[in-house]
Amino acid sequence: MTGEGTLSPVRPPSSMRPNACPVRPLSGLAAMLGAPSAGPRAPLAAVTGITIDSRQVRQGDLYVALPGTAAHGAEFAAAAVAGGAVAILTDPAGRATAVATGVPVLVVPDPRAVLGRVAAWVYGRPAAGLLLLGVTGTSGKSTTTFLLEAGLRAAGHTTGLIGGVQIRAGARTFPPGLTTPEASDLQGLLALMREDGVTAAAMEVSSHALALGRVDGVSFDVALFTNLSQDHLDFHSDLQDYFLTKARLFTPEMCRLGVVNIDDEHGRELLGIAKVPMTTFSAAGAAEADWRACDVRLGSDGSAFRVVGPGGVEADVSVALPGPFNVANTLGALVALVEAGVPLQSAVHGVGTVTGVPGRMERVPGARGFQAIVDYSHKPGAVESVLRALREVTSGSLTIVLGCGGDRDRGKRPMMGEAAARLADVAVLTSDNPRSEDPLGILAAMVEGALRVPQGERAHVVVEPDRAAAIDLAIGRAGPGDVVVVAGKGHEQGQYVGGEVLPFDDRQVVAEAIRRRDHL
């Protein structure tokens, strides 16, 4: 079991590690932590890997037994040792149980607080050998990392990608789990990249990762801030705490220099408190920005603009990503690439090769006379941005199918319902991932927000709790020139209902609805 006491529904495979691991003496780790080891054989102990999950232990691992919400990781220490763990790192509460296993034990007050540094030490600080670009913000992280990776590849790098949509290490791909992997998994992945000859990588950096130390032990060459709007207030105390957590990325301990979107009010605030040199960009063409987009041209199948930088440098940019927010994502990626040493023309060529990002404004083929789009927008700002972008390319009616996740930030539910009712012509409110909550209770909060929009300005609101039925309804009523966007789940392939994960891919369900419509 895991040492966190809660189970992540998707766990990175244990193959996300290097094949050849350095042998690290436990005495060196004890000295680094100032934590003498307890238990026998400590002077002879050496580790070759690290994990917080007893189910993924390999021979030679250091097992880190963390306190969790439901159980302490020390409860699984015996299983970890049986699987090959040669030492345990834990806290005072887990000491006795860990010592009882008979392997050396290191005890620190807060093992999570040192997990990033420890994992980096175990794998020989692999990040130091890579050109690393990190992206944080509420929306646009996944798209921006795909753009960054493409730009790095165009510059001749062997690349890696780490995020919630996909994980890639050179030619290898892995299923994603957390947006930013746990520190032990992340350092193993970076070591695997180093072993496979990867020279540069782009990574999503979530606020959870920053708060929980998952990226401790990693120093980014360039860090990029996209934007900030309400999200994750089930984890953060308020929006300011959410913002300040993301701002931690822009300190000398975590990055060499930063790139920030000053069209966003929080981006401007970040500019005033960042502790590293900052380069600014503006997709709105703000004159005070270091880099700006000019002559922006938006279409249903992509965007084009002219990027203008310091000293009069310019280039024409074309990407197959529609919407003004993708102009911002592309511009931010270009600036970060240039700051990382990639020539502007190579960066422009690279981003132009990105044909799309799974679940991000992804058009589902087969629709006749209308467009069907799946998008990951699951927060108020993202819903608003997507609907505004699609309004510009909709000649008919604009319909959104939208739900909100259970056991997550409750405050954004009425805000998302309000955005859907204000900006769409038809808003079909449905379930997303209800998890342990009553789907009807979640829908009630969304309807409450929708009803805040005055009746004469409000979309036609339909409530259909069954997500497949809601999608079928929206597709079935689409007419010529209409656009239907199914929002919230994007690339996800499961629906979390109670304690189960049911197979559900919006893209497949939309495609099936289109086929049924064609056969009526």
Side-chain angles (χ1 to χ4, degrees), residues 361-408:
M361 290 287 274
E362 183 175 353
R363 183 178 286 117
V364 179
R368 299 179 183 176
F370 68 99
Q371 294 185 60
I373 292 169
V374 169
D375 190 75
Y376 190 55
S377 45
H378 60 284
K379 58 211 80 172
V383 171
E384 182 159 339
S385 293
V386 164
L387 287 174
R388 289 191 183 281
L390 291 174
R391 175 63 70 190
E392 296 188 25
V393 296
T394 304
S395 59
S397 178
L398 176 59
T399 297
I400 184 169
V401 179
L402 180 68
C404 291
D407 300 334
R408 296 294 186 269

Side-chain angles (χ1 to χ4, degrees), residues 61-452:
D61 273 359
L62 171 70
Y63 173 60
V64 184
L66 301 174
T69 55
H72 196 291
E75 295 181 22
F76 313 109
V81 172
V86 297
I88 298 170
L89 172 65
T90 191
D91 62 3
R95 176 188 175 115
T97 304
V99 168
T101 64
V103 300
V105 177
L106 299 179
V107 180
V108 295
D110 183 0
R112 176 168 283 288
V114 300
L115 181 60
R117 284 197 300 131
V118 170
W121 177 87
V122 166
Y123 289 114
R125 298 180 174 84
L130 299 171
L131 176 63
L132 279 179
L133 309 184
V135 184
T136 198
T138 303
S139 299
K141 294 189 298 296
S142 295
T143 299
T144 303
T145 54
F146 271 70
L147 291 164
L148 287 171
E149 190 205 19
L152 292 168
R153 196 182 310 116
H157 285 284
T158 301
T159 60
L161 177 71
I162 304 172
V165 175
Q166 196 172 78
I167 295 174
R168 288 199 290 264
R172 307 192 201 203
T173 60
F174 301 94
L178 302 169
T179 300
T180 308
E182 279 289 0
S184 50
D185 297 319
L186 175 60
Q187 294 294 336
L189 176 60
L190 293 173
L192 173 63
M193 288 185 180
R194 179 181 60 187
E195 182 177 79
D196 281 0
V198 170
T199 58
M203 183 192 311
E204 294 185 51
V205 184
S206 68
S207 63
H208 287 69
L210 290 162
L212 297 174
R214 292 179 194 154
V215 288
D216 289 356
V218 176
S219 180
F220 293 91
D221 293 278
V222 181
L224 167 63
F225 180 89
T226 59
N227 52 64
L228 190 126
S229 62
Q230 181 168 330
D231 198 16
H232 302 306
L233 297 194
D234 55 317
F235 180 80
H236 298 283
S237 59
D238 54 30
L239 193 62
Q240 187 65 6
D241 176 60
Y242 177 42
F243 166 68
L244 291 175
T245 300
K246 288 190 175 292
R248 293 182 196 175
L249 184 57
F250 300 87
T251 58
E253 298 77 22
M254 304 212 74
C255 82
R256 180 173 58 84
L257 58 89
V259 171
V260 59
N261 176 11
I262 61 169
D263 294 333
D264 182 88
E265 61 178 320
H266 291 95
R268 293 191 296 274
E269 185 178 355
L270 176 63
L271 192 60
I273 64 172
K275 305 300 183 184
V276 296
M278 300 292 285
T279 300
T280 62
F281 71 92
S282 167
E288 66 271 26
D290 297 315
W291 293 81
R292 60 190 186 276
C294 300
D295 303 325
V296 176
R297 300 173 298 283
L298 303 174
S300 61
D301 56 355
S303 310
F305 62 94
R306 188 159 186 79
V307 56
V308 179
V313 60
E314 297 185 8
D316 290 318
V317 183
S318 179
V319 290
L321 303 173
F325 55 89
N326 276 322
V327 173
N329 292 335
T330 304
L331 178 60
L334 290 171
V335 176
L337 287 163
V338 170
E339 292 293 348
V342 174
L344 178 59
Q345 287 299 334
S346 295
V348 168
H349 171 72
V351 301
T353 65
V354 176
T355 57
V357 178
R360 271 61 176 177
M361 290 287 274
E362 183 175 353
R363 183 178 286 117
V364 179
R368 299 179 183 176
F370 68 99
Q371 294 185 60
I373 292 169
V374 169
D375 190 75
Y376 190 55
S377 45
H378 60 284
K379 58 211 80 172
V383 171
E384 182 159 339
S385 293
V386 164
L387 287 174
R388 289 191 183 281
L390 291 174
R391 175 63 70 190
E392 296 188 25
V393 296
T394 304
S395 59
S397 178
L398 176 59
T399 297
I400 184 169
V401 179
L402 180 68
C404 291
D407 300 334
R408 296 294 186 269
D409 183 357
R410 294 171 181 248
K412 69 182 184 181
R413 296 170 187 174
M415 299 170 66
M416 290 171 65
E418 185 274 336
R422 176 167 47 87
L423 296 170
D425 298 305
V426 179
V428 183
L429 306 183
T430 188
S431 292
D432 190 292
N433 294 317
R435 298 184 176 87
S436 70
E437 288 194 60
D438 178 6
L440 297 181
I442 298 173
L443 279 167
M446 296 182 69
V447 171
E448 175 192 339
L451 293 178
R452 294 174 186 172

